Amino acid sequence: MELDDYLQRYTVDLCKTLRLDREQPVQPVFSRSNPVQPQSGFGWSDLDSSSPVQSAWVRFGGSSKMVLKLINNATILHHIVTIIIKWKYTKRPIAKNFKPRTTHQAYLHSTTSVHYFPRRGLQSYASNELIPLSPSLPPSLSLPVSLFQWQLRTGARTSVRIVVAGDRGTGKSSLIAAAATESFPDNVPSVLPPTHLPADFYADGVPLTIIDSSSSTDNKFKLYEELKRADAVLLTYACDQPMTLNRLTSYWLNELRQLEVKAPVILVGCKLDLRDEHHPISMEDIVAPIMKQFREIETCIECSAATLLQVPEVFYYAQRAVLHPTAPLFDLEGQSLKPRCKNALRRVFTLCDRDMDGALSDEELNEFQVKCFNASLQPAEIVGVKRIVQENLPNGVNDRGLTLPGFLFLHALFIEKGRLETTWAVLRKFGYDDDLNLSGDYLPVPSKQAPDQSMELSNEALDFLRGVFKLLDKDNDGALRPIELEELFSTAPESPWDEPPYKDSAERTSLGNLTLNGFLSQWALMTILDPPRSLANLIYIGYGGDPAKALCVTRRRLTDRKKQKTERNVFQCFVFGPKKAGKSALLNTLIRRPYSKNYSSTTEDGYVMNMLESVQGGQKTLILREIPEDGVHKFLSNEECLAGCDVAVFVYDSSDEDSWNRSRELLVEVARKGEVSGFGVPCIVIAAKDDLDPSPLAVQDSVRVCQGLGIEAPIPVSSKSGDLSSVFNKILSAAEHPHTNIPETERGRNRKRYHKLFSRSLIFVSVGAAVGVIGLAACRAYAARKNTSN
């Protein structure tokens, strides 16, 4: 008996066994990732590009290709494929009393899609090594089987927590019980305890925890806590009670927004078997406006716990919304890939384009396939891929291979047709998490052992960045234009320097282009403030070295002061001072920004940085951090606030006595904080606005205070002159000699004298005790000798 005859013979028996009539209409499912309503019915026919029935190619060993018209019911499809597999590999007849698998077992292998089984036959079938094809591609866009092969990758997630909520009597508990027991229980408690579905329930291999809820006001707070912990939320309504559907929009969805629940939402219509058949309704007409108003809704599905119709599908879509979310990848309104997704896929393309010719050759495309999906592409399949891209996007293929636009087109096609697993498998293979950032496993950031340590880029990473700068500087003018910086971070989620504290913090030319010193200084600042982000962006832009060696931890500042030298290459200086003292003008001078007479009060910490030539040789990066006067109290409330500081600078207006008095108070506060916390830092006082008439009292008192604290006298400067290189060199020198210029208050001196006196007392006591012990031992020895002689 031939295979076609076999299938025709047992199709009716299968339908009867599964309690599904061949002409039964399929219940619709509306999902953002695949909004097309599935076709009903099933049958066999030749591939016809004009046919509305969805199809896909399935290859079995070396036999000829066959076309399967996809049907919506996953269980029937699974058994048809089972017949094909048994016929192909065993040639054994299938008895008429063939019993289908239980619902969850069937659904484990089929979710409205055809599966391609590897050539190892029944062993692969038994080990669940299944690779789904796309059920949604029209015949004219049917891609080769291998292109849809994917491995079950769900990132670091080990479980999915689903909370079921809705009005009383909508069928929440019955739905959960039907999914767990594969039957419709007669008596269901009003609220079920947490229900667990094992990892092998669905093909993704992730266990589910389903939380039932009560709609009673007495349990409202418990429900709110569960909703906040949920990975996905199912909101139920009863198909035979239209008011419960209205309650979703008037109450439940608004409640989720007020609670700021970020989890995807699945709308579930229960009790489908009780809907009045004489008054048919269009689910699309009802659901579409709701989904447009509430963008958090991922899927709408109707089911019946009594007949088990689409019960497993409900929780499959909930799990799918968590493991393979649509929102990070695709803009549903614009029907296009989101910028972060494009950038991530652009990085994947760049890494796979080994010869850097802007196209994936057949060899590179096959290597990509093997890396991501553990399966190679046949030459004919590669030709098929290119043909499909070229038919829809002419510039997607050139004589060298698949271009970046073609690569992006394929993934947009997968997502648009509901194959989010394919794109997520690629992204997760290259280290991305659900937010399209590199996951922590790919960022081996070294850890600091003490708060007065900091992070710096290694020499290898700096050499890489210099090479990148030279490569991007195509006009060789020693600076990067904004468009060149945009190109640099086109493979990162976004440019890390578009927002404070990085924006406008580095040296630029008069045309607004970023110099090499400014470029390297930006990286130095990001490495100190946010080491994981710095390492991630290094990897995004193509750093190919060992990530674990890209960053290094510096020696403790306390150790540097004891050894009276430092090995640091990046120094952070905190700038204090009262309002209108000239702090911002000092910072602007470091990055050669023109002096401005316009005054604007600083309310947030500001950063600037540049590279300076060190007297000891080589270049060092100096970072100036401005601490607003209003933020000093909060800043000093942190016990370790000075741990990351190499030099503290105090700026005051030399023409204003009040400005000096406030600056003196700040100087004493910081000095005392350093003495108490053990993180004392070198301090420098700057008398700004030297071009104005100085205040005699301020000048005299500032010199006296500095002498009393044991630090250098104030340095007069004028930001209008524009050249403060000598001032910055003094700041750099103080940072390179961390044991000098550390202020001592009178309280600190008294504490030091007390510690010295206490230490000396301990020494005297220790010496006296030692002498006493020795004397006692000598007496005992003498007494013992005397007794022996007697």
Side-chain angles (χ1 to χ4, degrees), residues 35-60:
V36 181
Q37 181 173 340
Q39 300 290 336
S40 62
F42 66 96
W44 298 93
S45 69
D46 295 331
L47 178 60
D48 181 6
S49 59
S50 62
S51 172
V53 181
Q54 299 161 335
S55 62
W57 290 99
V58 178
R59 183 197 300 258
F60 295 97

Side-chain angles (χ1 to χ4, degrees), residues 13 128 184 226 270 317 330 379 384 511 628 726 757 766 790:
D13 290 340
N128 300 334
F184 183 66
E226 290 292 353
C270 300
Y317 279 114
F330 203 69
L511 298 176
S726 60
L757 180 62
S766 300
N790 292 333

Side-chain angles (χ1 to χ4, degrees), residues 728-741:
F728 298 128
N729 287 333
K730 286 186 177 181
I731 295 175
L732 181 60
S733 177
E736 292 179 324
H737 301 84
H739 61 291
T740 62
N741 245 33

Side-chain angles (χ1 to χ4, degrees), residues 1-34:
M1 186 183 300
E2 295 299 325
L3 179 58
D4 286 354
D5 297 334
Y6 224 76
L7 289 171
Q8 291 176 5
R9 175 179 174 182
Y10 289 103
T11 296
V12 176
D13 290 340
L14 279 171
C15 290
K16 290 180 179 179
T17 305
L18 295 169
R19 296 178 295 173
L20 294 168
D21 187 84
R22 188 169 180 172
E23 301 300 327
Q24 180 180 1
V26 177
Q27 301 307 322
V29 177
F30 291 93
S31 175
R32 293 196 185 276
S33 59
N34 185 13

